[in-house]
Amino acid sequence: MTTRPTRRFDYETSGSAIYTESFRRIRQGADLSAFTSEQAQVAVRMIHAAGDLDLPRHIVFHPELVTAARTALRAGAPIFVDAHMIDSGITRRRLPADNEVRCLLRDDRAAELAAEWGTTRSAAAVSLWGQDLAGAVVAIGNAPTALFHLLEIIADGGPRPAAVIGVPVGFVGSAESKQALADSDLGVPWLVVHGHRGGSAMAASAVNALASESEL
């Protein structure tokens, strides 16, 4: 039998209360004035995932990002991600059309292409998305090389996704890849977090917010 430990600290134990109070504090403490109400829904989720009230200073939305992503998701578009942690973090019950989430990082072909091309598996895996990339929602939270590779595919005339969440984390290529996405003129709406911040949790939180249009 599992014995309950002696409670020694005063803390909230209700999951629903913690959830509600967390988002109340975010909306009270974060400056969301730069965002539309729909963008703020996404930003709040990302702040919650990052635990960073300063994050809004670094989040930038293409004006059409929210509408484009939600329209694609409602139509059943697949979601392509660069890391399995994003796949795990996406809440399936939020997806409006039982959308498929795909990560091909562990596909043997990704390793083979990476070796042949002299790049990362994350970048090579993007090429395996193929024609299904057209009209899809993309969330990149781990590898700057994946985001750069995606932009190169589109620039070469490849299939264009409906929306790109570009938030790769790190200190090598992260800031540069996100700036390249924001500076691109490829006709694809985007969301970025400028600088070194990012990560799988942040990318998954953005997808979850876009998948559900309910107010927090």
Side-chain angles (χ1 to χ4, degrees):
M1 178 182 293
T2 302
T3 302
R4 178 177 178 174
T6 301
R7 183 160 177 173
R8 304 176 188 277
F9 306 98
D10 182 19
Y11 57 94
E12 181 61 69
T13 58
S14 166
S16 61
I18 292 169
Y19 183 90
T20 299
E21 179 63 11
S22 293
F23 288 108
R24 186 194 70 78
R25 293 187 184 188
I26 290 170
R27 288 193 173 276
Q28 181 183 61
D31 182 2
L32 304 172
S33 59
F35 307 126
T36 67
S37 61
E38 289 186 327
Q39 291 170 348
Q41 291 177 28
V42 180
V44 165
R45 285 274 177 194
M46 296 173 71
I47 294 166
H48 183 254
D52 184 358
L53 291 174
D54 188 51
L55 192 64
R57 294 198 303 116
H58 307 279
I59 300 174
V60 181
F61 289 85
H62 183 284
E64 299 174 11
L65 182 281
V66 174
T67 298
R70 286 181 168 168
T71 299
L73 290 173
R74 286 195 299 267
I79 302 166
F80 285 100
V81 301
D82 72 315
H84 287 282
M85 287 181 66
I86 304 174
D87 183 350
S88 297
I90 293 174
T91 306
R92 296 307 197 270
R93 61 181 172 78
R94 289 184 176 275
L95 299 177
D98 194 26
N99 308 72
E100 183 181 1
V101 183
R102 304 183 199 174
C103 180
L104 298 182
L105 184 62
R106 295 173 185 160
D107 190 302
D108 290 341
R109 295 171 297 168
E112 294 169 1
L113 286 176
E116 179 182 344
W117 294 346
T119 189
T120 66
R121 281 188 301 143
S122 297
V126 174
S127 283
L128 299 180
W129 297 348
Q131 292 301 314
D132 288 343
L133 177 60
V137 172
V138 174
I140 294 177
N142 182 56
T145 53
L147 183 51
F148 278 127
H149 195 81
L150 174 65
L151 293 175
E152 290 166 343
I153 288 174
I154 300 171
D156 280 349
R160 299 196 319 191
V164 175
I165 299 164
V167 293
V169 66
F171 295 92
V172 179
S174 171
E176 293 84 356
S177 66
K178 289 177 280 192
Q179 190 63 56
L181 174 58
D183 290 343
S184 66
D185 187 21
L186 300 172
V188 179
W190 45 263
L191 161 61
V192 300
V193 175
H194 283 301
H196 305 299
R197 291 174 173 87
S200 297
M202 205 179 293
S205 69
V207 173
N208 288 336
L210 290 164
S212 176
E213 301 183 31
S214 61
E215 191 72 47
L216 297 170

